[in-house]
Amino acid sequence: MKRYGIRVTLPEGDPMRAPHLLGDGWEQFRWYDSAQARDRAFEDMQRQLPNYRKGDVISQVLEKVEG
């Protein structure tokens, strides 16, 4: 069965990439049963979260993957 995912990493220079925090190699995957479900989640993950302060920006790099 094919899986459709989203790979989440941190951008270059992000303070959370420091060795004592998440480190350079940190990544996270979220998997979905269909490309449509993945695409909906991808769009949702790109929007600004309501609990962030004005001016704050989500620091993440999203990439669609298949496995």
Side-chain angles (χ1 to χ4, degrees):
M1 180 171 146
K2 191 169 195 172
R3 297 186 315 163
Y4 302 88
I6 301 171
R7 177 179 179 236
V8 183
T9 58
L10 297 170
E12 285 291 325
D14 190 289
M16 291 300 289
R17 290 180 75 150
H20 67 287
L21 297 174
L22 295 176
D24 276 335
W26 181 85
E27 65 183 0
Q28 170 187 349
F29 289 88
R30 296 184 180 192
W31 295 102
Y32 303 88
D33 292 331
S34 71
Q36 294 81 11
R38 186 256 331 259
D39 293 347
R40 282 192 302 272
F42 188 86
E43 293 298 319
D44 192 48
M45 291 172 70
Q46 291 182 321
R47 69 179 175 79
Q48 184 69 21
L49 297 174
N51 58 333
Y52 272 49
R53 296 177 300 180
K54 260 192 173 103
D56 283 353
V57 178
I58 297 173
S59 182
Q60 64 183 4
V61 176
L62 303 175
E63 175 187 356
K64 293 179 184 181
V65 295
E66 295 181 13

